[in-house]
């Protein structure tokens, strides 16, 4: 699907993608846009210019400073808008009079991505972090905690395990944060001070579009209708604080200080070419978790990179396919007891590690709990390598996903999910 807007072969923002984001320029308010090539297309300008007048939905939802109102509309509205955008932007468009040949509207609607500021795309009311990564669970529970795979809690295979995270500390890519402080044991004595084992977690996450009423579970086979789109997510983790406090109640301050997401929300339709089945495990699922759709997960590579002094070092190569439950199953289980999800809620997978050390999605796994520092090789091999047990001050960690379809529809990406570690306050 070629466009009259130049889209380089290497670009992640093809007509197959068209992700949503919230952006601003100097001196302007935040507003909704979509990414195409090296440009951001302003949907507020399009809405005011009449590009969607015949689609019969509330155009005011495209004039807000977050995506929430628009995301809460029915899925068929999002599909109509996506199709209209593709028609407006395709190379041989029959709607050239609306945008391509309409110079006043054209000049107002496009902004270079290099000149915009990206914001949190949605107002996040709740954040749930699941634990559905097969290899992550095996490594953490066998190599680092126990000696037998039988030590993995049996419920791991039978239901999507999760904890409720801290929505107020979810930030958009590019936001730096301070190393957290807390309590943790050192040489048999509990101390209070800056975290010494700051970690990353390579994750994939979904934003909820339409929610459900209190007491009304979402059917697993209709759950995807409640997903607005997907982002990359780094669940920064203070392992020493986490391990000390989580023995009785689960994560708290070890996880609440920062969670980074990518700025562009990729719609489900863009990821259709990358569908796969979740990883198989020996189990018999209850009816409420049994899907009719076989390919309900996605195979999207995510690379984690360390940037230091302008050099980049490879940390890990993970995949969104390393899960035993789909987002539909996560949503079905989340609501099975009557819990209401709301527009803007964020649902994450947990760490997406693969079977090898180079595919480990967190330093806890890569370094065997910090005991074996991991060598990270520079992208420019002449620059050598660096070693890390855990993240150090002034480290910048970047996640990026580049999904290339085999049918020529174009690449799909999310923008970078990037955060820098500042010294503790």
């Amino acid at each position: 699907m070629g466009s009259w807007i130049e889209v380089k072969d290497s670009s992640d923002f093809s007509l197959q993608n068209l992700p949503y984001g919230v952006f601003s320029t100097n001196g302007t308010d935040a507003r909704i846009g979509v990414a195409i090539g090296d440009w951001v297309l302003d949907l507020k300008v399009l809405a005011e210019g009449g590009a969607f007048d015949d689609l019969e939905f509330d155009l005011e939802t495209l004039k807000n400073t977050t995506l929430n109102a628009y995301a809460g509309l029915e899925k068929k509205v999002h599909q109509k808008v996506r199709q209209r955008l593709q028609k407006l932007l395709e190379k041989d468009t029959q709607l050239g009079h609306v945008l391509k040949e309409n110079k006043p509207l054209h000049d107002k609607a496009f902004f270079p991505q290099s000149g915009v500021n990206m914001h949190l795309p949605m107002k996040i009311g709740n954040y749930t972090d699941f634990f559905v990564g097969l290899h992550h669970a095996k490594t953490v529970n066998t190599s680092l905690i126990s000696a037998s795979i039988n030590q993995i809690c049996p419920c791991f295979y039978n239901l999507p395990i999760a904890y409720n995270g801290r929505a107020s500390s979810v930030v958009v890519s590019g936001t730096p944060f301070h190393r957290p402080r807390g309590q943790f044991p050192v040489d048999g004595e509990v101390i209070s001070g800056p975290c010494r084992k700051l970690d990353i977690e390579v994750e994939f996450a979904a934003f909820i579009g339409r929610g459900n009423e209190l007491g009304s579970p979402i059917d697993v086979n209709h759950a995807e209708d409640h997903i607005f789109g997907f982002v990359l997510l780094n669940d920064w983790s203070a392992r020493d604080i986490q391990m000390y406090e989580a023995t009785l109640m689960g994560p708290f301050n070890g996880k609440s200080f920062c969670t980074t997401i990518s700025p562009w929300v990729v719609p489900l339709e863009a990821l259709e070419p990358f569908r796969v089945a979740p990883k198989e495990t020996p189990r018999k699922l209850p009816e409420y978790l049994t899907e009719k759709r076989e390919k309900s997960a996605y195979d999207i590579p995510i690379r984690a990179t360390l940037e230091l002094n302008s050099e980049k070092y490879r940390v890990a190569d993970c995949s969104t396919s390393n899960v035993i439950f789909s987002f539909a199953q996560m949503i079905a289980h989340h609501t099975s007891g009557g819990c209401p999800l709301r527009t803007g809620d964020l649902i994450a997978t947990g760490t997406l590690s693969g079977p090898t050390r180079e595919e480990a999605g967190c330093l806890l796994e890569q370094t065997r709990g910090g005991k074996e520092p991991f060598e990270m090789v520079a992208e420019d091999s002449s620059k050598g390598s660096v070693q890390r047990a855990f993240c150090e001050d002034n480290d910048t960690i970047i996640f990026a996903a580049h999904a290339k379809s085999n049918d020529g529809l174009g690449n799909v990406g999310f923008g970078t999910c990037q955060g820098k570690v500042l010294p503790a306050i």
Side-chain angles (χ1 to χ4, degrees), residues 55-345:
L55 298 187
E56 299 181 347
F57 72 98
D58 183 2
L59 296 178
E60 293 300 316
T61 60
L62 290 178
K63 302 176 186 180
N64 293 329
T65 58
T66 71
L67 280 160
N68 290 61
Y70 175 69
L73 299 177
E74 293 184 56
K75 179 64 66 177
K76 64 182 181 181
V77 173
H78 304 148
Q79 293 170 340
K80 286 181 180 180
V81 172
R82 174 179 167 81
Q83 291 165 5
R84 175 58 52 85
L85 289 170
Q86 288 179 328
K87 290 294 183 183
L88 289 172
L89 294 167
E90 66 186 3
K91 182 176 292 185
D92 299 319
T93 179
Q94 296 180 7
L95 300 175
H97 62 283
V98 177
L99 180 61
K100 181 180 180 181
E101 299 155 12
N102 185 343
K103 192 174 189 308
L105 187 64
H106 176 283
D107 292 347
K108 287 175 60 179
F110 285 99
F111 296 85
Q113 286 193 35
S114 59
V116 304
N117 302 310
M118 299 303 295
H119 304 270
L120 268 181
M122 301 187 76
K123 182 179 180 181
I124 303 169
N126 290 287
Y127 160 48
T128 304
D129 195 18
F130 280 86
F131 184 75
V132 298
L134 178 61
H135 302 293
H136 177 62
K138 286 184 176 180
T139 302
V140 169
N141 285 274
T142 59
S143 302
L144 301 179
I145 296 178
S146 62
S148 170
I149 193 170
N150 294 328
Q151 294 299 316
I152 294 180
C153 176
C155 68
F156 171 77
Y157 295 105
N158 298 331
L159 56 88
I161 301 171
Y163 73 92
N164 289 312
R166 184 70 186 173
S168 64
S169 55
V170 178
V171 300
V172 73
S173 177
T175 306
F177 68 96
H178 290 277
R179 179 180 296 271
R181 302 174 65 91
Q183 294 186 46
F184 48 88
V186 176
D187 298 329
E189 179 183 357
V190 176
I191 68 170
S192 177
C195 159
R196 299 184 182 182
K197 296 182 177 181
L198 182 61
D199 202 355
I200 64 172
E201 288 193 349
V202 178
E203 303 195 24
F204 193 44
F207 270 115
I208 296 297
R210 288 190 303 114
N212 61 299
E213 296 295 327
L214 176 69
S216 299
I218 295 175
D219 185 284
V220 67
N221 292 306
H222 299 143
E224 287 192 356
D225 292 338
H226 294 261
I227 296 175
F228 177 64
F230 301 95
V231 293
L232 307 180
L233 183 146
N234 186 350
D235 181 34
W236 298 93
S237 302
R239 297 301 188 190
D240 40 11
I241 299 171
Q242 177 190 357
M243 295 301 180
Y244 183 60
E245 72 183 3
T247 305
L248 295 176
M249 290 293 290
F252 187 54
N253 282 342
K255 293 278 193 175
S256 66
F257 57 94
C258 186
T259 301
T260 305
I261 64 171
S262 54
W264 295 104
V265 184
V266 175
L268 277 79
E269 292 81 3
L271 299 183
E272 284 299 314
F274 313 106
R275 281 191 179 271
V276 294
K279 300 294 183 184
E280 291 188 7
T281 59
R283 59 186 176 179
K284 181 177 175 62
L285 294 176
E287 183 177 357
Y288 82 96
L289 288 176
T290 303
E291 295 182 275
K292 293 178 181 178
R293 184 195 291 271
E294 179 184 355
K295 294 183 177 181
S296 57
Y298 301 95
D299 185 6
I300 299 170
I302 304 176
R303 169 162 287 192
T305 304
L306 165 67
E307 184 175 82
L308 185 65
N309 299 324
S310 300
E311 297 297 336
K312 293 183 177 180
Y313 302 85
R314 178 194 167 280
V315 179
D317 286 297
C318 305
S319 172
T320 61
S321 66
N322 293 319
V323 295
I324 64 171
F325 289 103
S326 68
F327 279 105
Q329 291 170 313
M330 292 181 229
I331 290 170
H333 182 66
H334 203 321
T335 62
S336 62
C339 172
L341 297 180
R342 297 173 180 171
T343 301
D345 282 358

Side-chain angles (χ1 to χ4, degrees), residues 5-18:
I5 295 292
E6 181 184 5
V7 179
K8 299 182 180 70
D9 290 341
S10 60
S11 175
D12 291 326
F13 302 117
S14 64
L15 276 183
Q16 170 64 16
N17 193 352
L18 296 182

